[in-house]
Amino acid sequence: LLQVDDLDSLGVSRRLLVDHAVQICRSILAESPAARGVSSYGGSLTPDRRTTPTSTRLEGLLAALAFLPADEAELRREMETAIHQGIAFLVGAQVRAGELDGAMPRAARAKRQPGSRRLPWEDPRATEVRIDYVQHALSAMIRYLEVLGPGGESSQ
């Protein structure tokens, strides 16, 4: 919508759309495990360590970096931190060996001590692989490289 030349004809202002996007970005950050003081989720943006919800949130955060106003510098810094951590989470969740090498599983499993019980949030389908899990993770990773570059520095 922000690319529409005459937003007023649609009955909406650019400022309203940007303000709404800012609210969404703040909500994503506020609901992340890191914002709640839980560091053991390694960059996941959801408490269940699922990859696709983290990927789609990263896609949104990365898209918003392109149009957030200059007066949102602090929010941009918070977003970039969450984005770096989220991408690292996705890279760490990727299957690294075997027939599915490179695939994206439904959820990243926590490393547990041998013989310990399953944690309550662990998903028995965590190792499941579907095309949408892979597609959203790749979209987030590609956009990350486009927006923040290989060194992770903003080009905006």
Side-chain angles (χ1 to χ4, degrees):
L1 282 175
L2 291 173
Q3 294 178 356
V4 172
D5 288 331
D6 187 19
L7 278 174
D8 292 332
S9 69
L10 298 176
V12 65
S13 71
R14 177 178 176 77
R15 186 75 224 172
L16 181 68
L17 292 174
V18 170
D19 287 348
H20 183 65
V22 166
Q23 289 177 336
I24 292 170
C25 292
R26 286 193 175 130
S27 175
I28 289 170
L29 296 174
E31 293 174 7
S32 73
R36 296 175 184 215
V38 181
S39 61
S40 61
Y41 289 87
S44 173
L45 293 175
T46 63
D48 57 8
R49 297 175 56 92
R50 286 188 304 141
T51 58
T52 303
T54 293
S55 296
T56 57
R57 285 164 175 80
L58 288 170
E59 289 172 306
L61 293 173
L62 285 157
L65 284 176
F67 60 80
L68 285 181
D71 64 345
E72 294 293 349
E74 180 59 30
L75 176 59
R76 291 178 70 87
R77 281 190 293 276
E78 291 175 28
M79 289 168 55
E80 287 185 17
T81 297
I83 290 166
H84 292 307
Q85 293 170 349
I87 293 294
F89 165 77
L90 292 178
V91 169
Q94 257 185 312
V95 176
R96 293 295 180 177
E99 182 181 14
L100 299 177
D101 188 19
M104 187 60 59
R106 176 182 168 95
R109 290 199 176 243
K111 291 182 173 59
R112 290 182 277 124
Q113 297 298 322
S116 65
R117 295 178 145 190
R118 186 176 80 144
L119 299 172
W121 55 263
E122 282 188 308
D123 185 345
R125 294 173 43 207
T127 59
E128 171 185 276
V129 173
R130 291 186 353 194
I131 190 65
D132 53 326
Y133 304 162
V134 176
Q135 179 267 309
H136 284 290
L138 284 175
S139 291
M141 291 174 182
I142 290 167
R143 187 68 180 151
Y144 176 77
L145 290 174
E146 290 172 348
V147 172
L148 297 175
E153 296 299 319
S154 178
S155 60
Q156 302 294 324

